[in-house]
Amino acid sequence: MAFVKNRSVVQVWLDVIFAIFLREIKSKFSDKLGISWAVAQPVSFIFVLSYIRGSIEGGETHSMPTFVFMVYGMVCIQLFLTTLTSTAGSIKKNKQLFSFRQVQPIASIIAVGLFELINKIAVISVLAMIMYLLQIEISIYDPLRILLYLVLIWFIALSTGMLFALARAFIPEVDKVRTMLQRPLFFISGVFFSLQDLPESLWKFLQWNPILHAIELSRLAAYPAYGAVGVSELYLFLFTIGISFFSLCCYTLSWKQAISR
């Protein structure tokens, strides 16, 4: 006699997220290189750009090694951009799954976002190992605070991606706008510079960007002597809470219409 296992709503939801997570892995890495390419590609990109900047300038940038200065910026902006891009396309990509009653768009968004977060954790681990082997100085004064800033970046990217995913369901051309808006972020988020390098009169044009705050604060958490100026932890927290709340409100109001289009 067959027995039907009763599962709570939370258990069903977690199973759905895990199933979509595995589907994401299989769909992205079905070639011979497999999942290793998910780590190797961003590691090589971050390492090469950081090494070039470190070789050109050499020495230190505001009390921290220039190479490490670049690594913090590159890891943070890559986490934001890849998570935003993946989550923005998650509803359209997994639309056929929403015919099942247990599967909702937010499960797809979370699963795709978790994949990008875990991927970047692996990237950070590999970069740390390479830096150790090359005998590059590694100093992390407050690792928990750095982890907190990475999680906040992830939440901002996840929430922003959700908004674009919902908008794309109604207006497909929104994806082109997202791509256009993403491009300048690489250059205005403090990846290659610090606010300390710019005149104070220019700060007001950049301080709206929460990723800039997260990058500068993460460098400060690693090297207290870095002395980040013009950034605010409070602003970063409030922005994260605000956009998360706004995106969840938009999702609650429009997810059924989004999957029916």
Side-chain angles (χ1 to χ4, degrees):
M1 181 178 178
F3 292 93
V4 177
K5 182 180 178 181
N6 292 323
R7 296 181 297 170
S8 66
V9 175
V10 175
Q11 287 176 319
V12 172
W13 198 57
L14 292 176
D15 289 342
V16 168
I17 291 175
F18 183 67
I20 298 176
F21 178 82
L22 294 179
R23 186 175 185 269
E24 182 72 11
I25 294 176
K26 291 180 180 179
S27 65
K28 280 196 172 184
F29 310 109
S30 57
D31 56 9
K32 293 182 180 179
L33 291 174
I35 198 169
S36 60
W37 184 244
V39 177
Q41 192 270 339
V43 164
S44 59
F45 179 69
I46 293 171
F47 184 83
V48 169
L49 283 185
S50 301
Y51 185 79
I52 291 173
R53 168 71 186 272
S55 300
I56 293 173
E57 297 213 354
E60 297 182 342
T61 301
H62 304 296
S63 81
M64 66 187 301
T66 301
F67 178 83
V68 179
F69 172 89
M70 281 290 296
V71 166
Y72 275 100
M74 291 292 295
V75 168
C76 291
I77 195 64
Q78 281 285 301
L79 173 62
F80 177 79
L81 292 177
T82 55
T83 303
L84 173 58
T85 301
S86 296
T87 53
S90 60
I91 292 181
K92 181 179 180 181
K93 182 179 180 180
N94 297 304
K95 192 173 183 178
Q96 66 272 24
L97 299 178
F98 303 145
S99 57
F100 298 97
R101 182 173 54 87
Q102 300 90 339
V103 184
Q104 294 184 5
I106 195 168
S108 173
I109 292 169
I110 293 174
V112 171
L114 281 174
F115 172 79
E116 295 297 341
L117 179 62
I118 294 172
N119 180 32
K120 287 303 175 289
I121 291 174
V123 168
I124 293 170
S125 301
V126 173
L127 283 170
M129 184 171 59
I130 293 174
M131 291 169 66
Y132 174 78
L133 293 175
L134 294 178
Q135 297 183 344
I136 298 174
E137 178 190 353
I138 302 176
S139 174
I140 304 177
Y141 178 77
D142 194 342
L144 291 180
R145 196 167 289 274
I146 294 173
L147 181 61
L148 172 64
Y149 296 141
L150 289 174
V151 172
L152 291 177
I153 291 173
W154 182 74
F155 268 110
I156 293 172
L158 197 72
S159 302
T160 309
M162 184 189 298
L163 292 173
F164 276 109
L166 292 170
R168 184 181 180 183
F170 296 95
I171 308 174
E173 290 75 17
V174 165
D175 199 51
K176 297 179 181 179
V177 177
R178 175 191 58 78
T179 303
M180 182 179 65
L181 293 176
Q182 276 185 213
R183 289 173 182 169
L185 286 177
F186 203 89
F187 303 99
I188 64 173
S189 297
V191 177
F192 302 102
F193 64 90
S194 168
L195 279 181
Q196 301 175 65
D197 301 324
L198 302 176
E200 192 170 345
S201 59
L202 297 179
W203 291 0
K204 60 185 177 182
F205 299 109
L206 301 172
Q207 288 176 316
W208 59 269
N209 183 359
I211 309 305
L212 171 65
H213 290 254
I215 291 175
E216 288 284 83
L217 289 169
S218 65
R219 289 167 177 161
L220 179 64
Y223 291 81
Y226 178 70
V229 294
V231 292
S232 168
E233 189 176 71
L234 177 62
Y235 173 78
L236 181 60
F237 274 108
L238 292 177
F239 187 94
T240 305
I241 293 171
I243 195 169
S244 298
F245 178 77
F246 179 69
S247 63
L248 287 173
C249 289
C250 291
Y251 174 83
T252 303
L253 292 172
S254 62
W255 73 270
K256 291 183 179 179
Q257 294 90 334
I259 64 176
S260 64
R261 296 182 69 86

